[in-house]
Amino acid sequence: MAMEKVSARAGICDGLVLEEACHNKVANPAPAIIIVYHQCIFPLHRSSGRHAYFPRFALQVEDGRHKLKEIDSSKPSSPQQHRSSLKADLEPTKCEIEILPIESNQVVSPSKETEQVDGLQLARAEMGEVREENERLKMLLERIMTDYKTLQMQFLHMVKQDHQKQQPAAAANSPAIAATSAQGPEESSLVSLSLGLDSGSSSSGKYEKEKENHLPAPRNEDYPHERLALSLDCKFDAANMSGISGVSNLPSSTSPELSSENHKGEESGEIWPPSKAHKTSRSGDDQVSQRNPPKKTRVCVRARCDAPTMNDGCQWRKYGQKTAKGNPCPRAYYRCTVAASCPVRKQVQRCADDMSILLTTYEGTHNHPLPVSATAMASTTSAAASMLLSGSSTSGSGHHPPEVAATANLQGLNFYHPDPSRSKQFYQLPYSLPVMSSPSNPTITLDLTSGAPVMSSTSSYAHNQLSSGANYYNSMARYNNSSTPSLNFTTSETIASQPTAWGNGLPSFTAAHHELFNKSNPQESQLLHHQLSHSQKTNFSNTNNPQESSIAAATKAITTDPNFQSALVAALKSIINGGGGGGGSGTVLTLGNYLVGGAGAGGDALEQKLRWNEGLTTSTGSLFGQKMAPQVNACGSSYLNKSSTPNSTSSHHQPASLMLLQSSNPIPLPISFHKQNGANAATSPVDNGDRNS
DNA sequence: CGTATTTGACCTGCGC
DNA sequence: GCGCAGGTCAAATACG
């Protein structure tokens, strides 16, 4: 006699299980006896941990008919014993199905036994009801999704109309873009630049999340105006937005450790594990993972700052200070206090080589809405960390020619990695970096000091390669000032009271734009590529720059660089938020001919502004927020003044560079992005003047 | 008095 | 196993 066992781990041994098993056998003409056992812990066996089985009933199936046979379950026995007894009671069968024990905690109480015997018929009806309910829910879900997408479209349309109203004159000043955009709705692009924390990793899901963030939402008490997502996305046809993939290749706009932390920590409510947690977790085999948590990616920001800390807009509480080896300056430990459960911490330490340089290492990802003023650094570090991860996963780039290596510089944020194991990655600089980092934690350094006077050097990358004796800082400065396009962060306090411009960066941005488009829609990408190529030619010819070929090569390198978006995201967001060191901003963002902002999808959305009228939140009650903010501003100005001039003077010879001028005006000003006609349309007196000359 | 910072002690990981 | 260094805690202290 063949014995067929059916694992019915599905649980309760009710009519559903029986029916399913029965139907399975009905399909099979062979008769069967279905024996159902309920598992429970028999007292005699409890000490040994063995289970006893109480057979509940048997179901005989033959010729499509089945009948239940109750079994005396008063005497526990093994399944084999009951099977043998059943064989004696039942008609000989050709096949048996044994539904094996269910979970002990699912043992049906004796009061339900009778009900279960009769439940076979009830279960059929219930199953039918469940199926109907399931269908209803599916229909409801589809309806909700449809409505949701409709609302998304309506919202985009409203945004578009609003921007068109705000920028009619500006749109008229952009005939080139008008012609470009008028070619069809497909070419009309929307770069949704949303700031903050939340950014999904999946494409469509991410987009939906962002749209949710755009929609009115209950305001955060602490930051009532801020409900921002940290992402850079590019949309095309609003009607098809549901199918648009998120552009950013960031694994998440949050720090990469979010990938691990969020899944392993934040999802489960786990935050930065305190030592107490370690204490309590030392016993127990299931805590091994906690004792060996995944290495957290860190982002170290180098910036010139005289204040004890950089004003990155967030609220921090100092919880420790330690003098680290090799650096006489103590290292201060801060944790984010915006939210009690926020796992983000940072370390602040002066650079041993240059006391004016502040090394701020961020670790973790905020799990709360960020102040607008804090999104700059958060997004920057997130992008850098994402770059670190993406670079980690981008292998095979070990033998970059110089122009490709320069592409890293194109990304402008001077990402580099101190880990020797990553020495072949494109963002790696051939210098040992005196960054403070634990060797166990991958750390990417974001150098914001490259605008120093040494920037006046015009040495090329190759020259940099030969400058082995240069210190790290100067090397970075020259590196950033190579003849290749660069994305420079510069800020000038001299233009603090005016909306400053971000200009002359068409090729860089178009490359970025191209990259974005490539990620979204190949067809549109082709069209845009053609347009951008034309625009680039126009700009190059206007500027008569002899480095056109190299720039074009660099641009090409950018478009093939999957990590460029990360840098671009960081750059844009840092600019938008007025800079962590500046405290406030009135920034006009101009990216060549193209708008960056909440543009609509229509072809007439030529020049639009995305405004955040909220005042920048001032850090309060924090170490640097309350006490050090003035110093930070002073610090920022000193640093930024140093950096702005050389950058501005050098960049105007580099039509491919993406010039960033940032106001450090502490007075909150609306942040506007607007499209301007041509790379020379920058409104910055400094920038404009240089290029006009 | 509440909150933030300081600072010594403690814990943990890592290298030898 | 031991020592070192990094990191964190928490009581003490400072500050508004």
Side-chain angles (χ1 to χ4, degrees):
Chain A
M1 178 178 298
M3 173 67 70
E4 179 181 352
K5 291 187 176 181
V6 176
S7 176
R9 179 175 171 76
I12 298 175
C13 190
D14 56 10
L16 286 174
V17 176
L18 276 177
E19 186 183 56
E20 181 179 356
C22 179
H23 280 300
N24 290 337
K25 292 313 299 180
V26 168
N28 185 346
I33 292 178
I34 299 175
I35 306 172
V36 180
Y37 294 96
H38 280 175
Q39 175 186 347
C40 66
I41 303 296
F42 187 60
L44 295 178
H45 296 164
R46 182 173 295 171
S47 59
S48 62
R50 297 176 58 183
H51 291 169
Y53 297 90
F54 293 86
R56 294 294 311 282
F57 47 83
L59 180 68
Q60 183 177 8
V61 181
E62 189 168 7
D63 295 334
R65 296 179 180 179
H66 55 272
K67 61 181 180 181
L68 288 173
K69 178 179 176 61
E70 295 188 41
I71 298 174
D72 180 13
S73 59
S74 60
K75 297 182 291 183
S77 61
S78 68
Q80 290 76 16
Q81 290 174 330
H82 277 281
R83 193 180 304 120
S84 60
S85 63
L86 283 168
K87 288 176 186 175
D89 296 336
L90 296 170
E91 294 292 329
T93 58
K94 299 177 182 178
C95 180
E96 287 185 355
I97 296 177
E98 182 181 22
I99 298 179
L100 294 178
I102 62 172
E103 299 296 332
S104 60
N105 58 356
Q106 293 173 329
V107 173
V108 179
S109 63
S111 62
K112 295 182 180 177
E113 290 184 5
T114 306
E115 181 182 353
Q116 282 197 341
V117 173
D118 298 333
L120 182 60
Q121 300 298 328
L122 296 175
R124 289 180 174 176
E126 290 176 359
M127 192 164 63
E129 293 176 359
V130 169
R131 286 172 180 170
E132 292 177 359
E133 179 68 16
N134 190 23
E135 291 299 319
R136 286 196 299 268
L137 290 174
K138 285 182 180 178
M139 293 179 61
L140 180 63
L141 179 62
E142 291 177 356
R143 189 186 312 166
I144 291 173
M145 293 301 297
T146 302
D147 294 341
Y148 179 63
K149 291 175 182 176
T150 302
L151 287 174
Q152 281 183 330
M153 294 176 57
Q154 291 177 353
F155 174 74
L156 271 184
H157 184 67
M158 292 173 61
V159 171
K160 166 189 168 184
Q161 288 183 338
D162 182 57
H163 287 314
Q164 286 177 343
K165 289 178 182 177
Q166 292 180 6
Q167 300 296 324
N173 293 332
S174 303
I177 304 305
T180 299
S181 300
Q183 293 183 4
E186 289 184 355
E187 286 84 26
S188 62
S189 64
L190 168 61
V191 178
S192 174
L193 195 58
S194 50
L195 302 173
L197 277 175
D198 189 14
S199 151
S201 56
S202 62
S203 55
S204 59
K206 169 187 172 183
Y207 178 73
E208 292 174 359
K209 279 186 179 179
E210 289 168 358
K211 302 314 295 179
E212 288 178 357
N213 288 338
H214 287 304
L215 295 174
R219 292 187 167 187
N220 183 285
E221 291 183 357
D222 296 328
Y223 307 102
H225 302 290
E226 298 135 17
R227 190 171 184 274
L228 305 174
L230 198 166
S231 62
L232 174 65
D233 210 340
C234 185
K235 288 92 184 177
F236 297 89
D237 186 1
N240 296 327
M241 72 174 69
S242 61
I244 292 174
S245 299
V247 172
S248 173
N249 66 342
L250 296 174
S252 169
S253 62
T254 52
S255 298
E257 64 270 19
L258 184 62
S259 301
S260 59
E261 285 186 3
N262 271 3
H263 291 96
K264 297 183 179 180
E266 293 178 5
E267 276 187 2
S268 59
E270 178 187 352
I271 60 174
W272 197 305
S275 61
K276 277 188 177 179
H278 286 289
K279 293 176 185 177
T280 57
S281 67
R282 282 171 202 160
S283 62
D285 296 335
D286 55 344
Q287 304 295 335
V288 175
S289 60
Q290 294 186 10
R291 285 179 293 181
N292 299 299
K295 304 301 181 184
K296 297 175 181 177
T297 304
R298 292 178 173 177
V299 177
C300 179
V301 178
R302 290 171 52 93
R304 292 193 176 277
C305 183
D306 296 331
T309 65
M310 287 194 303
N311 182 10
D312 50 13
C314 207
Q315 297 180 14
W316 303 94
R317 174 188 171 92
K318 188 176 182 179
Y319 67 90
Q321 181 169 308
K322 193 89 170 180
T323 300
K325 185 181 180 181
N327 192 335
C329 301
R331 178 182 304 169
Y333 299 90
Y334 296 86
R335 66 162 55 97
C336 178
T337 58
V338 174
S341 61
C342 181
V344 176
R345 301 191 180 185
K346 74 171 183 179
Q347 303 171 5
V348 178
Q349 189 177 31
R350 294 253 162 227
C351 180
D353 297 335
D354 188 345
M355 294 296 184
S356 64
I357 296 177
L358 200 65
L359 303 174
T360 305
T361 302
Y362 295 88
E363 181 175 334
T365 302
H366 297 281
N367 59 3
H368 52 81
L370 279 176
V372 171
S373 56
T375 55
M377 189 59 70
S379 57
T380 301
T381 56
S382 297
S386 299
M387 194 173 194
L388 173 61
L389 276 196
S390 59
S392 302
S393 60
T394 305
S395 58
S397 59
H399 302 286
H400 288 304
E403 60 270 22
V404 177
T407 305
N409 189 26
L410 275 170
Q411 299 178 359
L413 294 176
N414 297 333
F415 294 120
Y416 42 95
H417 197 287
D419 186 354
S421 64
R422 303 178 187 277
S423 59
K424 293 184 178 181
Q425 291 171 4
F426 70 94
Y427 50 82
Q428 167 69 25
L429 284 181
Y431 311 106
S432 63
L433 304 177
V435 296
M436 52 174 186
S437 64
S438 170
S440 61
N441 294 74
T443 303
I444 187 169
T445 299
L446 182 58
D447 186 17
L448 301 181
T449 66
S450 56
V454 73
M455 284 289 290
S456 59
S457 168
T458 57
S459 57
S460 64
Y461 174 83
H463 178 74
N464 290 337
Q465 292 285 64
L466 298 176
S467 303
S468 58
N471 63 34
Y472 154 76
Y473 168 73
N474 289 342
S475 300
M476 280 310 304
R478 287 196 306 275
Y479 194 84
N480 190 42
N481 198 36
S482 64
S483 60
T484 55
S486 63
L487 177 63
N488 299 324
F489 284 82
T490 56
T491 304
S492 175
E493 202 167 24
T494 60
I495 55 175
S497 60
Q498 305 177 26
T500 56
W502 215 36
N504 84 348
L506 176 64
S508 292
F509 179 69
T510 53
H513 220 158
H514 189 191
E515 173 74 9
L516 299 178
F517 286 9
N518 269 331
K519 301 268 184 175
S520 297
N521 190 319
Q523 295 177 349
E524 291 151 359
S525 174
Q526 288 183 350
L527 292 173
L528 183 71
H529 178 72
H530 175 73
Q531 297 158 8
L532 297 184
S533 298
H534 177 72
S535 299
Q536 290 175 11
K537 289 178 182 178
T538 302
N539 275 276
F540 289 142
S541 62
N542 289 341
T543 54
N544 294 322
N545 194 295
Q547 300 168 337
E548 176 179 352
S549 60
S550 63
I551 292 169
T555 302
K556 181 179 179 181
I558 295 173
T559 58
T560 59
D561 182 0
N563 297 310
F564 181 72
Q565 294 174 25
S566 300
L568 185 64
V569 169
L572 297 177
K573 291 171 183 172
S574 298
I575 297 159
I576 292 161
N577 288 281
S585 68
T587 302
V588 175
L589 181 61
T590 303
L591 295 172
N593 288 339
Y594 289 88
L595 165 70
V596 173
D604 294 334
L606 305 179
E607 181 164 349
Q608 303 171 16
K609 287 186 177 181
L610 179 61
R611 294 177 179 273
W612 286 280
N613 291 320
E614 309 86 358
L616 296 179
T617 303
T618 302
S619 300
T620 57
S622 62
L623 178 66
F624 61 85
Q626 197 171 39
K627 294 183 176 181
M628 301 306 176
Q631 301 177 37
V632 169
N633 284 337
C635 153
S637 63
S638 63
Y639 151 58
L640 296 167
N641 279 332
K642 286 179 184 177
S643 59
S644 60
T645 301
N647 269 341
S648 59
T649 54
S650 61
S651 62
H652 80 278
H653 297 297
Q654 305 170 12
S657 67
L658 190 58
M659 184 69 186
L660 168 63
L661 294 177
Q662 207 171 330
S663 167
S664 60
N665 187 356
I667 301 174
L669 295 172
I671 299 172
S672 306
F673 301 155
H674 64 149
K675 186 186 300 179
Q676 294 185 338
N677 183 21
N680 292 336
T683 58
S684 162
V686 175
D687 196 20
N688 210 12
D690 284 341
R691 267 180 279 121
N692 288 337
S693 63

